[in-house]
Amino acid sequence: ETGVTQSPTHLIKTRGQQVTLRCSSQSGHNTVSWYQQALGQGPQFIFQYYREEENGRGNFPPRFSGLQFPNYSSELNVNALELDDSALYLCASSLDLNTQYFGPGTRLTVL
Amino acid sequence: KNEVEQSPQNLTAQEGEFITINCSYSVGISALHWLQQHPGGGIVSLFMLSSGKKKHGRLIATINIQEKHSSLHITASHPRDSAVYICAVEGGTSYGKLTFGQGTILTVHP
């Protein structure tokens, strides 16, 4: 149990739709990172938020966006969903860029 | 070539065997992580290393910065160790942004 929760657990959307995934960090953790894990692959870094500001971004298009809130929760938003967006989305929280604690993930299926 | 390479990709062992999973990386790093992922997706951080060796229970992780290589060892393996083990590195100037290997699928039979 890492103290990091994600919702929903599973989600099915259709191409072109928009989705919001949520992450609740461990209390006091000021950093959250989001990762996309396609089936059979290692996770890929999407972006990181540190004290509510974006602190780096991986190789993902602008239709992937995020927010971090003062209550340690965060969101990942994906617009104009594509079939290839089907994946497990993981968030990880940490205090000042130290050891990351991962949530259980949200499995997104795009039909 | 991926920045982080793990071997083997699949590993099958009998209960009680000593297991080694290897990780090689090609970039300068500030830290290397070993993670465990069970079916269903949840990831647990096992170790975060920047030098030397760490031990936790039956798990041992080592890193050789000069050779850009790390190993994860499991002593007296048990079926509950069956999982995907992932090596991930943090770049020298990219604190907190992990680059992951493809993972090693470990199956331990009773």
Side-chain angles (χ1 to χ4, degrees), chain B residues 1-106:
Chain B
K1 185 171 164 46
N2 293 328
E3 289 182 348
V4 183
E5 295 275 354
Q6 286 184 237
S7 63
Q9 288 191 306
N10 286 278
L11 184 55
T12 302
Q14 289 298 125
E15 184 173 356
E17 285 184 359
F18 180 80
I19 286 162
T20 296
I21 300 170
N22 295 299
C23 176
S24 297
Y25 53 92
S26 57
V27 296
I29 67 169
S30 56
L32 182 143
H33 301 251
W34 281 102
L35 308 159
Q36 180 192 57
Q37 186 171 31
H38 280 282
I43 289 182
V44 175
S45 180
L46 299 174
F47 295 104
M48 180 174 160
L49 288 166
S50 54
S51 65
K53 173 178 166 178
K54 285 191 177 179
K55 184 176 190 294
H56 185 251
R58 294 180 295 106
L59 302 178
I60 304 166
T62 64
I63 188 168
N64 185 318
I65 297 293
Q66 286 73 31
E67 294 185 5
K68 292 187 165 64
H69 181 268
S70 175
S71 293
L72 175 69
H73 306 284
I74 305 176
T75 61
S77 60
H78 190 275
R80 65 173 173 266
D81 297 328
S82 298
V84 178
Y85 291 84
I86 306 173
C87 167
V89 300
E90 264 180 73
T93 58
S94 301
Y95 295 105
K97 304 171 190 65
L98 300 180
T99 301
F100 291 77
Q102 76 276 32
T104 295
I105 302 171
L106 172 65

Side-chain angles (χ1 to χ4, degrees), chain A residues 38-69:
Chain A
L39 199 61
Q41 305 289 321
Q44 298 287 319
F45 174 73
I46 303 174
F47 45 57
Q48 181 185 82
Y49 280 80
Y50 175 63
R51 295 183 176 180
E52 301 170 48
E53 299 278 339
E54 188 176 291
N55 184 43
R57 188 178 184 90
N59 190 25
F60 281 81
R63 60 190 184 82
F64 285 77
S65 63
L67 282 172
Q68 185 186 28
F69 303 103

